Amino acid sequence: MNDIKAGLIGFGNIGAGVVKLLRDNSTVIRDKVGTGITLSRIADLDITSDRGVAVDPAILTTRADDIFNDPEIDIVIELIGGYEPARTFVLKAIAAGKHVVTANKALLALHGAEIYAAAAAKGVEVQYEAAVGGGIPVLSAIKGNLAANRFGSVFGIMNGTCNYILTRMTQEGADFGDVLKSAQELGYAEPDPTFDIEGTDTTHKLAVLASLCFGTSIDFNAIYTEGITGISGIDIRFAEQFGYRIKLLAIGKRTDDGQLEVRVHPTMIPLHNPLADVGGAFNAIRLTGDFVGPVMFYGRGAGQNPTASAIVGDLIEISRSIVAGGGSRRAAPLGFLDSAITTLPLKPMADIVTKFMLRFAALDRPGVLAGIAGKLGEKGISIESMVQTARDNGGEAVPIVIMTHEAREGSIRAALDEIDAFEYICEKSRFIRIEDNLE
Amino acid sequence: MNDIKAGLIGFGNIGAGVVKLLRDNSTVIRDKVGTGITLSRIADLDITSDRGVAVDPAILTTRADDIFNDPEIDIVIELIGGYEPARTFVLKAIAAGKHVVTANKALLALHGAEIYAAAAAKGVEVQYEAAVGGGIPVLSAIKGNLAANRFGSVFGIMNGTCNYILTRMTQEGADFGDVLKSAQELGYAEPDPTFDIEGTDTTHKLAVLASLCFGTSIDFNAIYTEGITGISGIDIRFAEQFGYRIKLLAIGKRTDDGQLEVRVHPTMIPLHNPLADVGGAFNAIRLTGDFVGPVMFYGRGAGQNPTASAIVGDLIEISRSIVAGGGSRRAAPLGFLDSAITTLPLKPMADIVTKFMLRFAALDRPGVLAGIAGKLGEKGISIESMVQTARDNGGEAVPIVIMTHEAREGSIRAALDEIDAFEYICEKSRFIRIEDNLE
């Protein structure tokens, strides 16, 4: 049998990794597929820069249409990222009868439903393992061997940039801005890190994961998203003092009343939670199925080589189907049949119940604690513990930190709004959600 | 489309879990496959005992042949365990053109090659996710999305019984025999726990995993196997004192010189290693691919529900192929094509290089340490640290514990043989291998 031919759109760092992997492990692939996989065409606006891998210049093109129009190409790999023209290219590839492999979580989070429907109508596969968790094969597992389960939850650390920054802030007692700058210099954060540090990238991934786990179509814009830019060294120190570590978590849960809880925010987790030790650029994703119980996946969540591993893994799986006779032979893009996809109502953030760490900056004078505690009590919020560190510092604001028992987020927000109006409160009060028993 | 029909051989605890899962999650399965999966026949010598799940008595039979001869059955689930008659039944099922799902690691470790060849010749699938790591979908991942990698190593904690016993010995400072007895009473250990505590079960799993990762046929009997029966409370206490935890690890590595290192034994790992915190009945399996880097999987390694999750996961994957047109559409049983399976030479244990903890029981008199240290030096073994706790105890033996730098196991064994001949050595000296940098 002739080699299976793939076309690549978007020849950046990850694309170069795919070229390298297909070259270095061509024997491994042939031994597992029964035929080779050749990248026969690469489209990019820039076809002159050196990507550090040797490529026959004859296969480079600036026109993506050269790939869609090539009848020998069975699989299109989309690696340009972003919403457009990625969406147009993927839909064109599907319309041309090509299987699609993509790493584009943003595209799938916003336009997944449209793309999956087009693929189903055309009988081609859309695979996207690299979109979440880099090389960690968690999406394949959810669609594949774990498919017998009804999932109750999926959560984890899914953005290496944020995790790297928080890990260094924790280890060095450093502040956000300083670590971000150093992370950019070291290549752990993009020159424009907005999508990472504001949580958007994590929310894209949560949208993809939750759709898979719960068989539901999710309105990406309705997912609560809070990044790590508001986390300061003092938050991290107080959290550690109470036995917690701050991580940017994505959390998806099916609630007992048939709602979906989906949220991305800095979260305090107990130091003994396995996720607390996931450091640096690593990702960890945990899910709970009604039969399998808790399962955790851990590995490199980004980077050229791990991402190429996931992309070529998808190429291999599709190629096995082609070798066996063509067409889509495996799970539908979401694991569920299109007809089984539902839309679950999202639980409003005001109704979320967790414990909270509250941090106030207040003038150090009599009656302050009584005032704050009184307002919390009035809103039905009970206090587990409290710490006020500095005193007698000449009239400046002192930090007051309060750990609450479980409370409705709506009550917390209402209480803080009213407390912030007290004349002895010097800056906007902060809260961080605490998850003691994520399951 | 009519339901896909499966037949089950071996109606024990796990079989009852499969019945329960197919019943409880029938909608989930239908939503993901497009048709239902029905257990239409169950064979067991005992068809009268209550398994805690309702089954139509008409589908029960004492004759496995009733399943092989039923033309409506597409998939046979083998859950009787052990070598025979499991091997005969699986081969009969394949000969009858049925796909096979099995949880039988012993069978695959010893007769895998024969079974995979028969399945390939007949064009049917053999799936066995439940054979390793209970519900953890690690085998599917290796064959599937991680397939683009050349694997360098695979290792982990794969026996819940041993891990439960070692965890309790560590937490309670208790001795092996006492914890085993309690584990049996609580149902965490079998009435006859030999296969678990002597390491055989772990070695079965390592044989299966290493075959998958390295595309090689392994002589099961050539794998070095040492269980946990020789571990005492004093070993655990000394290990913790030096910053290590003792776990029963299965370790498989491809060495630079083209050999395969495969071994199962109690291993000291640093307390900060993620595997050190895997407690109780949980399993964790870690592997390293040349592109993906390190990946870890964690979950319940045994039990009725997690094992049923893996078995029904296999049923779902095979059923998707049947719905799409029948035949084997996915990876070969080992991920590699039969023609690509090699036989790699196993590295002799004498050539393994690790650090070691040595424990001697010696009379407390002058010259003893010098004698032991001298003999170690003579064999080229250098000492990293040493501790001798008790003194002046009236002539009884005292423990002497030595941590070595890296050394050949052959040298260690030769040195201990000669040291044990010293007249002041009171019992056979012990060693435990240390892995500081498992990758």
Side-chain angles (χ1 to χ4, degrees), chain A residues 39-351:
Chain A
L39 213 51
S40 64
R41 211 91 170 104
I42 298 177
D44 197 289
L45 292 179
D46 168 7
I47 57 172
T48 54
S49 294
D50 181 9
R51 273 82 171 185
V53 288
V55 169
D56 176 1
I59 70 168
L60 294 170
T61 174
T62 55
R63 294 181 304 269
D65 280 340
D66 288 350
I67 290 177
F68 310 135
N69 296 335
D70 185 338
E72 294 206 330
I73 289 178
D74 282 316
I75 310 170
V76 173
I77 309 165
E78 182 275 305
L79 294 179
I80 51 176
Y83 307 126
E84 282 292 356
R87 175 181 153 276
T88 304
F89 286 163
V90 164
L91 291 173
K92 275 192 170 185
I94 291 169
K98 320 279 190 210
H99 303 292
V100 171
V101 174
T102 176
N104 191 334
K105 60 228 78 166
L107 176 67
L108 297 174
L110 264 84
H111 304 292
E114 178 186 19
I115 289 167
Y116 306 147
K122 199 74 186 179
V124 297
E125 291 193 41
V126 176
Q127 297 294 338
Y128 49 90
E129 182 60 72
V132 179
I136 306 170
V138 60
L139 306 185
S140 307
I142 295 168
K143 283 187 284 189
N145 191 266
L146 294 176
N149 290 273
R150 197 183 307 266
F151 294 102
S153 67
V154 58
F155 57 91
I157 296 167
M158 303 178 197
N159 183 280
T161 303
C162 289
N163 202 47
Y164 175 85
I165 291 173
L166 290 174
T167 301
R168 282 196 48 194
M169 287 175 71
T170 303
Q171 285 167 350
E172 302 165 18
D175 262 324
F176 175 77
D178 297 336
V179 175
L180 172 61
K181 193 152 166 286
S182 152
Q184 287 174 309
E185 284 161 9
L186 291 165
Y188 285 106
E190 302 280 339
D192 177 359
T194 313
F195 260 41
D196 292 315
I197 62 177
E198 297 292 1
T200 316
D201 173 77
T202 304
T203 303
H204 285 144
K205 291 166 178 167
L206 177 60
V208 171
L209 264 177
S211 296
L212 268 177
C213 284
F214 307 123
T216 182
S217 176
I218 297 176
D219 175 7
F220 169 77
N221 292 303
I223 301 177
Y224 178 79
T225 303
E226 180 186 327
I228 62 167
T229 54
I231 299 295
S232 60
I234 191 175
D235 292 322
I236 290 178
R237 284 192 295 280
F238 276 115
E240 299 269 328
Q241 187 176 332
F242 284 104
Y244 291 91
R245 188 150 293 155
I246 299 178
K247 293 288 188 185
L248 182 69
L249 291 197
I251 299 173
K253 281 187 203 174
R254 195 201 303 260
T255 67
D256 292 340
D257 53 0
Q259 290 183 317
L260 206 60
E261 205 176 301
V262 275
R263 46 194 170 100
V264 169
H265 52 71
T267 310
M268 288 166 51
I269 52 175
L271 292 174
H272 62 75
N273 186 312
L275 293 178
D277 287 326
V278 174
F282 280 86
N283 280 195
I285 296 156
R286 188 171 148 157
L287 30 95
T288 307
D290 56 352
F291 274 78
V292 75
V295 185
M296 192 171 86
F297 300 79
Y298 168 91
R300 290 194 191 282
Q304 187 183 52
N305 283 349
T307 309
S309 164
I311 292 166
V312 180
D314 283 344
L315 288 179
I316 288 175
E317 298 255 49
I318 293 173
S319 296
R320 281 172 170 151
S321 291
I322 295 173
V323 170
S328 175
R329 301 288 165 174
R330 295 189 301 127
L334 286 181
F336 292 78
L337 302 187
D338 279 1
S339 57
I341 305 293
T342 58
T343 305
L344 295 172
L346 299 192
K347 186 166 185 162
M349 280 305 284
D351 292 343

Side-chain angles (χ1 to χ4, degrees), chain B residues 195-208:
Chain B
F195 260 40
D196 291 315
I197 62 177
E198 297 292 1
T200 315
D201 174 76
T202 304
T203 303
H204 285 144
K205 292 165 178 167
L206 178 60
V208 171

Side-chain angles (χ1 to χ4, degrees), chain A residues 25 31-32 34 129 135 143 145 147-149 290-292 295-296 298 305-306 309-310 313-314 320 324 329 331 335-337 340, chain B residues 25 31-32 34 129 135 143 145 147-149 290-292 295-296 298 305-306 309-310 313-314 320 324 329 335-337 340:
Chain A
N25 284 2
D31 283 350
K32 293 183 182 179
E129 182 60 72
K143 283 187 284 189
N145 191 266
N149 290 273
D290 56 352
F291 274 78
V292 75
V295 185
M296 192 171 86
Y298 168 91
N305 283 349
S309 164
D314 283 344
R320 281 172 170 151
R329 301 288 165 174
F336 292 78
L337 302 187
Chain B
N25 285 3
D31 282 350
K32 294 184 182 178
E129 183 59 73
K143 283 187 284 188
N145 192 266
N149 291 273
D290 56 354
F291 275 78
V292 76
V295 185
M296 193 170 85
Y298 167 91
N305 284 349
S309 165
D314 283 344
R320 284 174 170 150
R329 300 288 164 174
F336 292 78
L337 303 187

Side-chain angles (χ1 to χ4, degrees), chain B residues 66 72 81 129 166 191 244 284 287 297 306 310-311 354 384 390-391 404 410 435:
Chain B
D66 288 348
E72 294 205 331
E129 183 59 73
L166 290 174
Y244 290 92
L287 31 94
F297 301 79
I311 292 167
T354 72
E384 185 181 289
R391 289 190 71 87
T404 75
E435 294 281 358

Side-chain angles (χ1 to χ4, degrees), chain B residues 172-218:
Chain B
E172 303 166 17
D175 263 324
F176 176 78
D178 297 336
V179 176
L180 172 61
K181 193 152 165 286
S182 152
Q184 287 174 308
E185 283 161 11
L186 291 165
Y188 285 105
E190 302 280 340
D192 177 358
T194 314
F195 260 40
D196 291 315
I197 62 177
E198 297 292 1
T200 315
D201 174 76
T202 304
T203 303
H204 285 144
K205 292 165 178 167
L206 178 60
V208 171
L209 265 176
S211 295
L212 268 177
C213 284
F214 307 123
T216 181
S217 176
I218 296 176

Side-chain angles (χ1 to χ4, degrees), chain B residues 390-403:
Chain B
R391 289 190 71 87
D392 297 327
N393 58 352
E396 278 183 48
V398 295
I400 297 172
V401 174
I402 290 176
M403 308 287 282

